[in-house]
Amino acid sequence: MQPASEPRFLRMERYSPPLSLRPYLDHLWIAEWQVPRETTLPLDIVAMPCVNLVLMGESAFVAGVKTERQRHVLSGSGRIAGLRFKPGGFHSFSLHPVARIRNLEIPADSV
């Protein structure tokens, strides 16, 4: 994640996965932001050949491999966490080919 401006409003941390999951996971990540009122924070995310399991609020979704850079605009405050799989690492956890979820975000319980 690369903040386009005002990076002091965003905190991003990465953690090594447990030893048993290292063959599948690249890292675990948490992003928190607190953007002042009436301000936004544009955030560019470079496309990576990886699947992410994303936790936001009470929902969980799988973000398939993205083929283009993503732009999100953050406002207010929030937190999001996830597991970034290594290229090819998600295949062991899905009944379907990973290509089916390319550029999609789908509920985690439907994978």
Side-chain angles (χ1 to χ4, degrees), residues 14-15 22-23 30 34 41 43 62-64 67 71 79 83-84 103 107:
R14 294 184 178 124
Y15 303 94
R22 287 187 186 163
I30 299 173
Q34 189 158 3
L41 176 64
L43 184 70
V62 173
T67 58
R71 172 157 277 207
R79 179 184 302 166
L83 309 173
R84 183 166 123 179
N103 293 318

Side-chain angles (χ1 to χ4, degrees), residues 3-75:
S5 63
E6 302 298 334
R8 68 181 178 266
F9 302 131
L10 175 66
R11 185 175 69 100
M12 176 83 178
E13 294 188 23
R14 294 184 178 124
Y15 303 94
S16 294
L19 191 57
S20 62
L21 294 176
R22 287 187 186 163
Y24 311 103
L25 296 179
D26 187 24
H27 61 261
L28 293 75
W29 54 268
I30 299 173
E32 295 179 297
W33 62 93
Q34 189 158 3
V35 180
R37 290 176 58 124
E38 300 180 22
T39 303
T40 60
L41 176 64
L43 184 70
D44 290 331
I45 301 174
V46 178
M48 299 292 290
C50 303
V51 172
N52 282 271
L53 172 61
V54 181
L55 311 169
M56 189 166 58
E58 294 185 22
S59 65
F61 61 91
V62 173
V65 171
K66 305 295 185 192
T67 58
E68 297 179 357
R69 179 173 28 190
Q70 305 292 303
R71 172 157 277 207
H72 299 275
V73 179
L74 304 178
S75 61

